[in-house]
Amino acid sequence: MELLHYKLDNGIRLVHHRTNGMVAHCGLIINTGSRDERPKEHGMAHFIEHMLFKGTVKRKPYYIFSCLDNAGGELNAYTTKEETAIHASVLKEDFEKAADIISDLTYNSTFPEKEILKEKDVIIEEINSYLDSPAELIFDEFEEMVFEGQTLGRSILGTPELIKSFTRESLNEFVSANYDTTETVFCSVGNIPDEKVIRIFTKYFGNIPPKKIQKQRNKKHIYKPTTLTKKKDTNQIHCIIGNIAYDFKDKRRTGMFLVNNILGGQGLNSRLNLSLREKKGLAYTVESGYNSYRDSGIFSIYFGTDNNNLEKSISVINSELTKLRNQSWEHFSFIHPRSR
C-alpha cells in the first residue's frame, strides 16, 4: 500500500503506512536535539524528553505511565543529536488513545518543580552509569574528537553541573525556541484506514498553534585526524576507529549503509565478525556503525580485546578495509544456512 502524506495548516505533517496486523505503531518526531542546545543548555533536550512524562495539564505522571501499559501497549521516547521522538505501540483499537497522549505530552506538559528536582538526580545517575561503562563512554568521547568544538560532538546527556542548573523557566524557553510545528512529523504504521488516521491526527494535532523557527545549525565540519589513548582500570582495551561520513542528503548514503552492514553489521557473517572473532578469536564484540546527520555523518568500528591483541586486531581491521577499497564484490563470500 502507498504511504499517506497529509499536512495540517499549522505545518505538522502526517505519514501513514497501512499494514495488516493487530498492532499499530505511532510517534511524533520533532527536529530538535542536543545539537540545538546553547552552551548553558547542554543536556536540556534529553532532560525535557524525561520531563514530558512527569505531568500535563490533564494527566498526572501515574496515569501517563499506566494508560497504555494497562491496555497491553507501550509508551516511550528518545533523544538524538538532531531529534526528539515520543512513540507508542498499541493494539489498533487503542490507536486514538496513543495519539491523544502523545499530543498531550508534547504540547501540554507542565514541568512540575518537584519532578524537575527528582529527575535531575535520575539523569545524573544515568550519566554516572555511562562513566562506569567504558564500552558506552568511548562512543561519546569518539564523537567529541571527530566533531571537536561543535554541538554535534557533545554528549546527549549533558553534564551534572549543567543538569543541576535547569529550571522550569529554562525548560519552557527551550521548547518555545526549538519546537517548530513545520519541522514536526507524526508517523504511524498499522491496519487503520487513511480516513480514520487523518481524523485522529487532525483532532489531536490540528489545534496546536503554528510556529516556524529559523534554526542556525553549524554547517560543514573540518575534520582533523586525531589519536587519543586513555588509561583505565579495565580488563579489556576498548577501541574505536572511524571518520566523518556522508550526510543524510547525500546520494551515496544508501551505499554506505550497505557497506557498513557487510563490514560490521549485526549479522554473524559480517566481515569483521568472521575475521576478528570467528577466525582469529581476538574479540568478543566487534561492530561498525554509520549515522547520518543533516550536514555531516560519522562512521566507526568498535571492538574490545585483550591488551596483548590490540595491534593484531587493528591489523586485521585494516586488512578488511583494504579489501573493501580494492576488491570487487565478487571476491566477498558469505555464510549461508545449510540443510542438516
Side-chain angles (χ1 to χ4, degrees):
M1 298 182 183
E2 294 185 0
L3 288 176
L4 166 68
H5 294 266
Y6 188 80
K7 184 177 179 181
L8 296 171
D9 291 339
N10 57 20
I12 301 177
R13 288 163 285 165
L14 165 69
V15 179
H16 174 64
H17 179 47
R18 187 173 183 182
T19 59
N20 295 322
M22 299 296 294
V23 178
H25 310 274
C26 61
L28 192 72
I29 302 175
I30 306 164
N31 186 24
T32 294
S34 60
R35 73 174 301 184
D36 300 303
E37 299 161 347
R38 295 175 296 181
K40 291 184 179 181
E41 296 172 337
H42 184 196
M44 188 168 287
H46 173 255
F47 191 92
I48 288 171
E49 175 227 308
H50 277 232
M51 286 303 303
L52 296 179
F53 293 79
K54 301 303 180 180
T56 70
V57 173
K58 63 180 182 180
R59 288 182 170 97
K60 295 185 179 297
Y62 178 78
Y63 182 81
I64 293 171
F65 297 143
S66 303
C67 66
L68 296 186
D69 283 25
N70 289 346
E74 180 183 0
L75 178 67
N76 213 329
Y78 64 82
T79 306
T80 71
K81 299 292 177 83
E82 295 189 322
E83 64 187 33
T84 302
I86 307 96
H87 57 94
S89 297
V90 293
L91 293 173
K92 63 180 183 179
E93 292 81 5
D94 296 318
F95 179 81
E96 181 169 355
K97 184 184 292 185
D100 178 14
I101 195 167
I102 288 173
S103 174
D104 192 33
L105 296 185
T106 308
Y107 298 105
N108 297 314
S109 286
T110 55
F111 302 145
E113 294 285 0
K114 291 183 179 180
E115 296 294 338
I116 290 175
L117 291 174
K118 289 191 293 184
E119 206 60 28
K120 288 181 180 180
D121 291 334
V122 171
I123 292 180
I124 290 172
E125 288 304 314
E126 185 177 359
I127 294 171
N128 290 336
S129 73
Y130 272 80
L131 295 176
D132 286 339
S133 177
E136 299 282 352
L137 180 62
I138 193 172
F139 285 91
D140 284 340
E141 294 180 339
F142 173 70
E143 293 208 4
E144 288 176 4
M145 290 171 56
V146 174
F147 299 116
E148 182 180 5
Q150 306 290 338
T151 56
L152 194 56
R154 295 190 311 205
S155 164
I156 293 170
L157 299 179
T159 66
E161 294 74 22
L162 287 173
I163 297 298
K164 292 176 183 178
S165 71
F166 294 165
T167 64
R168 183 181 182 187
E169 181 181 6
S170 64
L171 299 186
N172 281 315
E173 286 178 356
F174 183 85
V175 171
S176 179
N178 290 281
Y179 280 29
D180 184 338
T181 54
T182 67
E183 293 287 336
T184 301
V185 178
F186 182 74
C187 49
S188 64
V189 176
N191 190 10
I192 305 169
D194 292 354
E195 297 79 8
K196 183 176 181 179
V197 173
I198 292 175
R199 177 183 62 77
I200 292 173
F201 173 59
T202 303
K203 179 179 179 180
Y204 294 104
F205 295 93
N207 293 326
I208 304 302
K211 179 178 290 186
K212 184 172 179 61
I213 301 166
Q214 296 296 329
K215 289 189 178 182
Q216 298 296 326
R217 283 176 170 170
N218 294 324
K219 298 301 181 182
K220 297 292 182 180
H221 308 285
I222 300 174
Y223 171 70
K224 298 178 181 179
T226 309
T227 299
L228 176 65
T229 301
K230 287 189 175 182
K231 292 185 177 181
K232 291 182 177 289
D233 185 17
T234 59
N235 292 317
Q236 273 192 323
I237 281 185
H238 300 270
C239 181
I240 283 188
I241 303 169
N243 205 331
I244 55 173
Y246 307 125
D247 62 55
F248 79 83
K249 293 182 180 180
D250 197 303
K251 294 181 179 179
R252 295 167 291 182
R253 181 173 67 108
T254 302
M256 187 67 190
F257 276 117
L258 177 60
V259 169
N260 174 70
N261 194 50
I262 292 171
L263 182 65
Q266 295 181 348
L268 295 177
N269 66 340
S270 74
R271 303 305 302 170
L272 291 178
N273 190 70
L274 288 177
S275 60
L276 202 63
R277 174 173 169 165
E278 299 301 325
K279 293 180 181 179
K280 302 291 186 180
L282 295 175
Y284 172 71
T285 300
V286 56
E287 61 190 27
S288 64
Y290 166 52
N291 288 322
S292 59
Y293 301 118
R294 172 160 293 201
D295 52 9
S296 189
I298 190 166
F299 170 77
S300 64
I301 297 170
Y302 162 80
F303 66 93
T305 190
D306 183 81
N307 182 42
N308 296 322
N309 294 328
L310 177 61
E311 296 302 324
K312 293 179 184 177
S313 299
I314 293 176
S315 178
V316 171
I317 290 170
N318 285 334
S319 176
E320 291 299 333
L321 291 173
T322 299
K323 290 179 184 178
L324 278 178
R325 288 193 297 267
N326 299 333
Q327 292 186 0
S328 65
W329 291 110
E330 286 77 7
H331 287 85
F332 286 89
S333 60
F334 298 90
I335 294 177
H336 297 281
R338 295 179 179 177
S339 58
R340 295 181 181 272

